[in-house]
Amino acid sequence: MAASTSAASTEVAEWVQRDTEIGEQSTLTGGAGLLRTEHAQTNAPGQFRLSFVGEWFSAGFLCTTKFMCPNPSGGPPITSDTLNHVGGTLSLGVAIAKLGPGTLDGSAGVVTYANSDNANRPALLQVLGDSVLGVRYVAPLGDVFHVGAVTDLWLVNGSGSVGLDSAATSARFGALGTADLRGMSSPVPLRFSANVAYSLDNTGAVVTDVEAARGQYVTRIERYGLGVSRVDHFDFLLGAEALLADGLVRPFVESRVTAANNRQGFVCNAGPPVNIGFDKCLKNDAVIPAILTLGGRFFPWKREFSILTALDIGLSGTNDFIEEVQPVPPWTLYLGLGWSADTWDRPTKKVVEKAAEPSAPRTVHVSGFLHEREKNDPIVGAILAYRDRSDLPRLATSPDGRFGDDVPPGTYSYEIRADGFKPSTCDFTTKPPVVPPSKPVGSPPGADAAQVPAPATRAPARIEIDCPMEALPRLGTVVGRLRDADSSQPLSGTQVVLTDSQRKEFRLMSDASGAVRFEGVAPGTATLSILADGYLALVTPEEVKARQESTVELLLQKKPSRPEVQVTNKEITIRDQIQFALDSAVILPQSFGILTEVADTLIRHTEIKRIEVQGHTDNSGTAEHNKALSEDRAEAVKNWLSVHGVPLERLLARGYGQSRPLAPNVTAANRSQNRRVQFIILEKDGGAPTKGALLPGF
């Protein structure tokens, strides 16, 4: 019975996977992917995809004052044109079979398009039925990464004729890579793919006879209209896709860069240098065409039918033309439809005829709600595994914290894992419902219901369960690295004090590498404080996030051999003035050093209880303006010192404007002297500075 259940579960899992893979749709080249970027993933064997993508563009870009076009009427060169482009690609892709760990996939497509340009004769250029045949092999490297290889054969129609031009037959060989983040242990609905391909491009052969008859190359308009490139090229494609709404909405972005390789040895004739109407040559002016594509694929009903919208944006090659390379339009709009189908028959349950009797359902539907204990907050993305039942698939909670499954009657236990919560279990028992006996239609009057056989029906069975989880402490970690600011050498054996947002203190000594690691820190703004011999005091804030690790570089500056700050009986004096931005309270970085010395002085001189940070200006401007400016500057210095370890209660900020000059405001030197910040001692306990005084918290 267990083997049978396991086989059934495997079959169900296989069909769940097939239902997911049927949503893969074709690119313009036939493989499964975005507009051009192919995924290293495809449909399940036996599934095929059919798509039609139309394209449209209307604008003038091929004839400019820099790149003129010859006048078909023999007049002066043409410097503007109007081009209309319309086309379509019909493709069929088939996942052929499993080969080893991967899947062999084949595709076939037909490309038809027409261009009309008023600057060309004939104005209408058509390409009827170029064909593309492709084969690719893709395989998983694990749950996330996939790789593959692709080769395409291009069968190109001749110019001005019906039928293939064998000389123009081209081919492409490429490698595919995909990172599908849905395969991670905590799935993310994102997929990234990269393609690298080399194209043996012989499309230039379709115009060889025409050019021989004319005695000159075809025009730039004809080269674009016929899709002609004269050289091989490397194609680099990168795409990203989001799979939203259970994969029914898939916005994507991709880019393509093309690098030419003149395998054919084409000799470019740019004409006289004075004629700016000629295209440039690859050997002298390398242009790398690049396109950015924005688009989306939508599944309005099921994953079998899709609608594609996309817009190409030309990034280069749109207005700088190379004779060997096909021009790139500035934009192209794509609209498409896709349809996929599965040729495998979905298994059906066998119906066994048996005597009518009460029967319980084979499975019971379990519907559960996972939430934080003592709260109603849902837990999203948790994984639930059946204990001792490897035959039953794991479950994941939805955005509303709910999960569900159909299981046979019995006793079960979920083992639950979720980020930020303690591992837990949730036990439940399912029982088949009791089918009450009933009296069938036409039973004799007065017949006892217990004497009448019950009808052979199965009542629906459901069970609701509640699963709470206990949250882990929402604490963070701070890692500090102490180094000498000048030499970058690590500082070991130095005490670091961390005060978290809850005012809890942590003390650690730095190790041989200068590192300290604080764990269990409350989220919010923490303060790191360091007082080391021979160095200026360092106090710095650090934002701590719950369940995350923050790293902070702690650079200690050595005390200067010639101090800029001195303590007198009534004032803390500074040798150099604090510099601000012009007519502003923004402190300039060159003053951070002297402010660091002021903070260090106040931290070490604990006998100084309170100081007044005074702001002064010269007499430039009005008195009212200068008063406000001096107040703002004093407040800015006060805040700087507070952030760097000086308690706010020891600081008072006051601006005096131009009212207290040190010298007459008659010269530039005097005015510079009057623009100053002073630190006046308001209160102290009269004691000498304490040797080795500690920072707050030490």
Side-chain angles (χ1 to χ4, degrees):
M1 183 66 176
S4 175
T5 303
S6 177
S9 298
T10 301
E11 185 178 54
V12 169
E14 180 180 4
W15 275 96
V16 169
Q17 184 65 23
R18 293 183 70 85
D19 289 342
T20 300
E21 292 173 339
I22 202 170
E24 302 293 351
Q25 299 289 337
S26 294
T27 64
L28 292 177
T29 51
L34 308 178
L35 183 68
R36 294 184 182 85
T37 306
E38 296 189 25
H39 297 317
Q41 295 171 298
T42 188
N43 306 98
Q47 294 178 348
F48 67 87
R49 56 191 180 274
L50 180 67
S51 73
F52 175 77
V53 180
E55 56 189 77
W56 173 76
F57 165 75
S58 179
F61 77 102
L62 292 172
C63 301
T64 65
T65 54
K66 181 180 179 181
F67 291 91
M68 301 178 186
C69 296
N71 193 324
S73 302
I78 298 175
T79 58
S80 65
D81 66 317
T82 300
L83 172 69
N84 291 289
H85 169 89
V86 63
T89 301
L90 179 66
S91 65
L92 173 68
V94 180
I96 301 171
K98 277 282 187 183
L99 289 181
T103 302
L104 182 67
D105 186 276
S107 64
V110 178
V111 182
T112 300
Y113 52 88
N115 297 276
S116 176
D117 196 304
N118 63 345
N120 195 67
R121 292 294 183 274
L124 179 64
L125 297 170
Q126 299 185 51
V127 172
L128 302 176
D130 284 357
S131 302
V132 182
L133 302 176
V135 63
R136 54 196 52 77
Y137 178 77
V138 296
L141 294 180
D143 293 334
V144 175
F145 295 102
H146 306 256
V147 295
V150 59
T151 180
D152 292 333
L153 184 66
W154 305 338
L155 305 177
V156 181
N157 265 357
S159 174
S161 63
V162 176
L164 301 178
D165 187 335
S166 59
T169 299
S170 304
R172 178 180 70 123
F173 306 92
L176 316 175
T178 293
D180 191 338
L181 305 190
R182 294 174 297 174
M184 298 195 307
S185 57
S186 297
V188 178
L190 293 175
R191 176 162 54 175
F192 301 90
S193 290
N195 301 170
V196 179
Y198 183 80
S199 296
L200 297 169
D201 195 335
N202 297 316
T203 53
V206 301
V207 297
T208 301
D209 293 341
V210 175
E211 292 177 332
R214 292 182 183 177
Q216 61 183 12
Y217 295 145
V218 296
T219 66
R220 183 184 315 119
I221 297 174
E222 291 171 318
R223 200 167 72 249
Y224 170 78
L226 297 173
V228 169
S229 288
R230 303 184 185 278
V231 294
D232 291 354
H233 45 89
F234 290 93
D235 296 319
F236 304 92
L237 297 99
L238 184 64
E241 177 184 31
L243 300 100
L244 310 177
D246 197 25
L248 299 180
V249 178
R250 305 185 180 186
F252 65 82
V253 59
E254 65 177 4
S255 63
R256 183 186 71 174
V257 176
T258 301
N261 176 40
N262 193 1
R263 172 186 59 88
Q264 294 85 341
F266 177 81
V267 179
C268 176
N269 180 11
V274 296
N275 189 343
I276 63 172
F278 282 93
D279 288 356
K280 297 179 179 180
C281 291
L282 188 64
K283 63 181 179 180
N284 299 322
D285 299 277
V287 171
I288 301 180
I291 296 174
L292 176 69
T293 303
L294 305 175
R297 183 170 273 118
F298 311 93
F299 298 79
W301 300 291
K302 298 181 179 180
R303 287 187 175 87
E304 290 85 352
F305 178 76
S306 68
I307 299 173
L308 170 72
T309 62
L311 177 67
D312 273 353
I313 302 172
L315 302 180
S316 61
T318 60
N319 54 14
D320 199 7
F321 304 114
I322 300 296
E323 182 70 39
E324 294 92 335
V325 180
Q326 182 184 3
V328 176
W331 61 269
T332 305
L333 178 66
Y334 297 87
L335 296 174
L337 299 175
W339 178 71
S340 55
D342 199 327
T343 61
W344 285 20
D345 293 329
R346 190 179 295 271
T348 57
K349 296 181 179 179
K350 294 182 179 180
V351 178
V352 179
E353 296 292 338
K354 57 186 299 184
E357 60 181 15
S359 59
R362 294 181 181 177
T363 61
V364 177
H365 183 76
V366 179
S367 179
F369 178 52
L370 187 66
H371 60 93
E372 185 174 347
R373 188 179 301 279
E374 299 181 356
K375 294 183 180 180
N376 205 38
D377 298 336
I379 300 175
V380 181
I383 302 300
L384 298 90
Y386 290 92
R387 179 184 290 175
D388 302 326
R389 292 296 301 269
S390 60
D391 56 309
L392 297 178
R394 295 184 176 188
L395 307 177
T397 55
S398 62
D400 59 0
R402 297 197 171 273
F403 60 92
D405 197 12
D406 294 322
V407 297
T411 299
Y412 299 89
S413 179
Y414 288 126
E415 294 181 339
I416 311 175
R417 299 288 187 275
D419 290 341
F421 292 86
K422 293 182 179 180
S424 66
T425 60
C426 190
D427 304 328
F428 64 95
T429 300
T430 63
K431 296 180 180 179
V434 177
V435 181
S438 61
K439 187 186 298 184
V441 176
S443 59
D448 192 331
Q451 299 173 354
V452 181
T457 59
R458 293 180 179 174
R462 299 179 61 87
I463 181 175
E464 296 281 343
I465 62 174
D466 184 80
C467 299
M469 295 188 76
E470 184 176 347
L472 293 170
R474 292 180 170 87
L475 301 176
T477 301
V478 177
V479 177
R481 304 186 187 281
L482 280 69
R483 291 189 291 122
D484 185 291
D486 296 327
S487 65
S488 295
Q489 293 299 312
L491 299 176
S492 61
T494 301
Q495 181 174 251
V496 181
V497 176
L498 182 145
T499 305
D500 68 12
S501 60
Q502 304 301 314
R503 308 309 301 167
K504 181 180 178 181
E505 293 184 358
F506 301 78
R507 301 166 182 269
L508 289 176
M509 303 294 288
S510 59
D511 61 19
S513 65
V516 288
R517 181 182 181 87
F518 298 95
E519 297 182 342
V521 182
T525 302
T527 301
L528 291 155
S529 307
I530 306 170
L531 194 71
D533 290 340
Y535 290 90
L536 296 176
L538 175 64
V539 178
T540 183
E542 178 65 20
E543 194 66 25
V544 181
K545 296 182 179 179
R547 303 193 187 104
Q548 294 188 27
E549 181 175 290
S550 303
T551 301
V552 57
E553 293 290 333
L554 303 171
L555 301 178
L556 272 64
Q557 297 180 356
K558 289 183 178 179
K559 287 186 175 182
S561 56
R562 182 175 180 269
E564 297 289 325
V565 178
Q566 292 183 346
V567 179
T568 67
N569 189 41
K570 296 182 179 181
E571 183 179 356
I572 298 174
T573 63
I574 54 179
R575 294 182 182 275
D576 197 5
Q577 279 301 327
I578 298 170
Q579 302 297 317
F580 298 89
L582 180 63
D583 199 28
S584 166
V586 176
I587 303 172
L588 296 179
Q590 56 260 41
S591 292
F592 290 170
I594 194 168
L595 282 173
T596 301
E597 286 193 54
V598 173
D600 176 79
T601 299
L602 284 169
I603 289 169
R604 296 177 186 274
H605 283 261
T606 56
E607 80 280 5
I608 300 176
K609 300 301 182 183
R610 200 158 186 246
I611 67 167
E612 181 180 78
V613 181
Q614 295 184 353
H616 301 274
T617 69
D618 59 21
N619 66 346
S620 300
T622 66
E624 294 79 5
H625 174 77
N626 290 335
K627 180 76 161 55
L629 179 61
S630 66
E631 289 174 349
D632 292 342
R633 287 180 170 179
E635 192 68 28
V637 172
K638 168 189 168 183
N639 292 336
W640 196 99
L641 294 173
S642 173
V643 170
H644 290 79
V646 182
L648 273 174
E649 58 268 20
R650 297 177 66 189
L651 302 171
L652 173 67
R654 183 171 295 170
Y656 292 92
Q658 62 191 45
S659 64
R660 297 186 179 184
L662 295 178
N665 286 293
V666 294
T667 66
N670 286 1
R671 285 192 292 271
S672 176
Q673 185 180 1
N674 291 333
R675 296 190 298 270
R676 68 195 187 278
V677 173
Q678 290 181 261
F679 303 94
I680 306 301
I681 299 173
L682 299 179
E683 180 183 349
K684 62 180 181 178
D685 61 11
T690 303
K691 179 176 176 58
L694 299 180
L695 294 171
F698 277 82

